Amino acid sequence: MKIVSYSIRDDEMPALKEWQAQHPDVEVQIEHELLTPESAAKAQGADGVVVYQQLPYDRATLQALHDAGINKMSLRNVGTDNIDMAAAKELGFQITNVSVYSPNAIAEHAAWLMGRLLRREPEYTAKINRHDLRWAPEIGREMRMQTVGVIGTGHIGRVLIDILKGFGAKIVCYDVFKNPELEKEGVYVDNLADLYQQADIVTVHVPSLKENIHMINDDSIAQMKDGVIIINVARGDLVDTDALIRGLDSGKVRAAGLDVYEKEVGVFNEDWEGKAFPDQRLENLLNRKNVIITPHTAFYTETAVKNMVQISHNCNVQLIKGEKADNLVKLD
Ligand code: COI
């Protein structure tokens, strides 16, 4: 059995080597380049591919893989929003993702963003860097005094709620699919308007489905408390960036912590030092002392990366063997 693993990064190699040692019967061809219509030919003769990239898996790429005899593709990440689902279905692809690799990685990151903003860390850091070591005026706020509105109570939202409860925060949450344990605790509100009315911090943990795109917009921000803090470590297009900037300008939004951004593809995970920065809206956000931007690094922990590499390869083997694969992606 042979798998071609595309765009393998150096930091993924230890986990991949460990997996290879446990699966001597599987030949893994390591490719450092992305999967493109051109590089797809490298998979000729293999049984499946393992991939991760933010670039689209568009019709041309899937067609090229199909022409190379491959229709079993395993993503090393959770998001499937960059797949041309209609093409994948038509070409008979079977696709898996890694739906859960470490909810804690993302949930902790969201909690850190909240904590850093509550204690006004970016403002202090700027002051301290210029050797101004005075306290005032950046007085902080305590997590236990906050009501945190968690939108989406899947794996990540659930872990985040536990973390925040440890700090003593009050939780209100909303999801169309209710978690029975949380329901018993009575933390769900019936609608988003109720959550916006109560929350000092609003954090989103839902997928980028059509109905969720720009769910944080002028209208939802207007319904939030004055001085709300907005956190997004899920998907960039959940937040209308222009509306967020308007909210920050007016002071309605006190602060924001963003690990994702609407137009992050091609901008995040690149080194712009000494080069013209390509996105003025992002520059606007980066220049604010009440905004923390992290370049989609919430997932980036040793534990998560190991799980992403090893679970995706396990799933690809399951597909190749014709077994019921964990994490099969519904192509629609
Ligand atoms: C995903 O798993 O879809 C993520 O958002 C993390 C990715 C940058 C590897």
Side-chain angles (χ1 to χ4, degrees), residues 47-103:
D47 302 291
V49 293
V50 172
V51 289
Y52 166 67
Q53 62 194 36
Q54 284 194 302
L55 273 187
Y57 303 103
D58 54 15
R59 182 175 287 275
T61 306
L62 295 173
Q63 182 69 55
L65 264 188
H66 180 264
D67 294 346
I70 304 289
N71 68 355
K72 293 171 176 45
M73 182 165 97
S74 297
L75 312 185
R76 301 200 289 283
N77 65 310
V78 60
T80 54
D81 35 329
N82 54 345
I83 301 176
D84 182 334
M85 290 294 184
K89 203 170 174 175
E90 259 171 62
L91 295 166
F93 269 82
Q94 286 180 295
I95 299 180
T96 57
N97 65 352
V98 185
S99 59
V100 183
Y101 43 80
S102 177

Side-chain angles (χ1 to χ4, degrees), residues 1 47 71-72 94 96 314-326 328:
M1 176 187 309
D47 302 291
N71 68 355
K72 293 171 176 45
Q94 286 180 295
T96 57
N314 288 340
C315 289
N316 207 242
V317 168
Q318 290 172 329
L319 287 180
I320 293 167
K321 286 187 172 166
E323 294 171 356
K324 190 175 170 300
D326 300 327
L328 199 60

